[in-house]
Amino acid sequence: MKNVRILIIGGGPAGLAAAISAYDKGERDILILEREDKLGGILNQCIHNGFGLHTFKEELTGPEYAQRFIDQVNERQIKYLLNTTVIRVEENLEVKALNEEEGLLNIKAEAIILSCGCRERPRGGVNIAGSRGSGIYSAGTAQKLVNIDGLMPGKEVVILGSGDIGLIMARRMTFEGAKVKAVVELLPYSSGLNRNIVQCLNDFDIPLMFSHTVVDIKGEDRVTSVVIAEVDDHLNPKMETAQEIKCDTLLLSVGLLPENELAKGAGVSLSRITRGAYVDDNLMTSVPGIFECGNVLHVHDLVDFVSLEAKEAGEKAVEYINESEHIKIDRIEIKAEDGVRYVVPEFILKNNDASEMTLKMRVGNVYRKTKIVVEADGEVIHSKPKQIVTPGEMETIPLKSDEVLKLRNAKEIKVYLRSV
């Protein structure tokens, strides 16, 4: 059994930021486990720019952003193991992992930070009828083929789903000479950032078809066309509107799912909305000593926000293991209501300090001329007016110390939308 004070599972942007933060907080016994052959996670295949504007005040590509953090990890001589797959996390903070050099690893930690990222929902998760010919890829797989392997998935493309990866790949495929026929979105709004709609679709005259979906895939050995149709208010296809689009490739950008199998195996309580863990404002899960941050907790818009959240997780993990006694602290649930789909953290600790805090949330639809309200025991303690809120943009609610103190003393906390 190998012992370590802080074990970080996942060497992407969240894991790297958490490790650096824990080190700068004074902890030296830190180990990162990464299943790929290099640190950096998904950023290594995100060669487009737009990263780092918040963190470094300059525009970087994904690999450049990752390298900034990798350099900091190396400067601090933080230990990490590559090509190492974690197969189980126990509730008592014992971890089993595998790699070629050392075989089976048994690691006992005092605190674990889960920063495993997320994965794409596959074709099987959206139940599209039709043949199973080649040419059907998730958008992230296509991104890896083009950016890492130098291979083109196809020449005539339809993209299902307007998530950010799908929008970015519409532009990328266009750059490489493919013809993107359409981006088809089931919902009446996009789940991606508005800036990506403008820069990746509008700038290249790529049509975005809301309230449509793919109802059939044609072709035997290879996709030859897809059939799309408009959907009604209940998201059921209206087959009288069906139209066939010739293509050889279908890219799926139909949602991201947090990689929470390890958390589930450790007995961590998971949210049915985010699919991430329920956490308190220390980012600790329902299992004492296990923390979550980044896209494994909830899917973020920007990697800068991932790094900021992970920084906090690293600091809180150090504070946790340095406590003389791990006292069970009472916590109050934050209830998401009236248009608010979820809030992170889901719980506020009663007996914690009153330092400033930021709540993160998403709404369930597009709302105009509204305000985000935070209420404690019936008293409105914070109100943030918004011209528009959309599901594709994560909203942040910065709370001042006096507002946090009211939350910690409350018996009931609500976050909701109200019309202006």
Side-chain angles (χ1 to χ4, degrees), residues 58-324:
E58 59 181 304
E59 197 170 34
L60 305 170
T61 65
E64 287 172 333
Y65 186 94
Q67 194 61 51
R68 297 282 179 98
F69 283 90
I70 294 169
D71 291 343
Q72 291 183 53
V73 164
N74 290 331
E75 287 166 7
R76 290 162 175 76
Q77 297 183 329
I78 298 172
K79 297 176 183 175
Y80 55 86
L81 295 175
L82 303 176
N83 297 305
T84 301
T85 300
V86 176
I87 55 176
R88 188 162 181 80
V89 176
E90 303 285 352
E91 197 167 343
N92 63 358
L93 307 191
E94 290 185 8
V95 172
K96 295 190 184 301
L98 287 168
N99 65 31
E100 287 187 359
E101 289 74 25
E102 300 176 69
L104 180 64
L105 295 166
N106 292 295
I107 305 170
K108 172 68 174 176
E110 293 183 37
I112 295 173
I113 301 176
L114 296 174
S115 53
C116 319
C118 57
R119 68 179 186 273
E120 294 177 281
R121 182 179 279 111
R123 176 187 174 177
V126 289
N127 297 320
I128 305 174
S131 64
R132 296 178 178 270
S134 64
I136 306 170
Y137 303 89
S138 69
T141 299
Q143 186 180 60
K144 181 178 183 296
L145 288 171
V146 175
N147 294 346
I148 302 294
D149 301 327
L151 301 172
M152 275 294 284
K155 296 179 180 179
E156 294 186 305
V157 183
V158 171
I159 299 175
L160 175 61
S162 60
D164 287 313
I165 303 174
L167 298 175
I168 288 165
M169 281 309 296
R171 178 179 61 182
R172 188 77 181 101
M173 296 293 283
T174 302
F175 281 162
E176 293 298 328
K179 174 65 175 175
V180 179
K181 298 288 191 71
V183 175
V184 181
E185 171 56 57
L186 176 69
L187 299 173
Y189 53 80
S190 173
S191 58
L193 293 171
N194 188 60
R195 76 176 194 193
N196 284 333
I197 295 174
V198 173
Q199 296 174 0
C200 301
L201 300 188
N202 297 351
D203 287 356
F204 298 93
D205 295 324
I206 298 171
L208 174 56
M209 304 175 70
F210 290 124
S211 298
H212 282 73
T213 192
V214 174
V215 295
D216 194 10
I217 301 171
K218 296 184 179 295
E220 295 300 326
D221 296 332
R222 175 88 191 191
V223 174
T224 57
S225 66
V226 298
V227 179
I228 68 169
E230 191 177 345
V231 298
D232 60 23
D233 292 341
H234 301 289
L235 305 182
N236 297 314
K238 297 190 286 186
M239 296 309 297
E240 67 273 15
T241 67
Q243 57 178 298
E244 188 171 344
I245 301 178
K246 299 289 184 183
C247 64
D248 59 16
T249 304
L250 175 65
L251 301 188
L252 303 178
S253 178
V254 289
L256 300 170
L257 303 172
E259 287 274 20
N260 259 313
E261 282 70 22
L262 295 176
K264 194 184 300 182
V268 170
S269 298
L270 302 181
S271 164
R272 66 180 183 82
I273 303 296
T274 66
R275 307 287 183 94
Y278 285 120
V279 294
D280 58 34
D281 52 285
N282 284 342
L283 295 174
M284 189 160 72
T285 69
S286 60
V287 176
I290 298 182
F291 298 77
E292 272 201 359
C293 60
N295 283 350
V296 73
L297 178 58
H298 61 120
V299 177
H300 294 63
D301 302 332
L302 302 176
V303 71
D304 301 76
F305 297 159
V306 167
S307 301
L308 191 62
E309 185 175 88
K311 178 178 183 293
E312 185 179 355
E315 293 171 350
K316 296 302 183 183
V318 173
E319 291 175 9
Y320 173 81
I321 63 177
N322 287 336
E323 290 176 0
S324 56

Side-chain angles (χ1 to χ4, degrees), residues 14-26:
L16 296 174
I20 293 164
S21 172
Y23 184 97
D24 292 347
K25 188 76 173 176

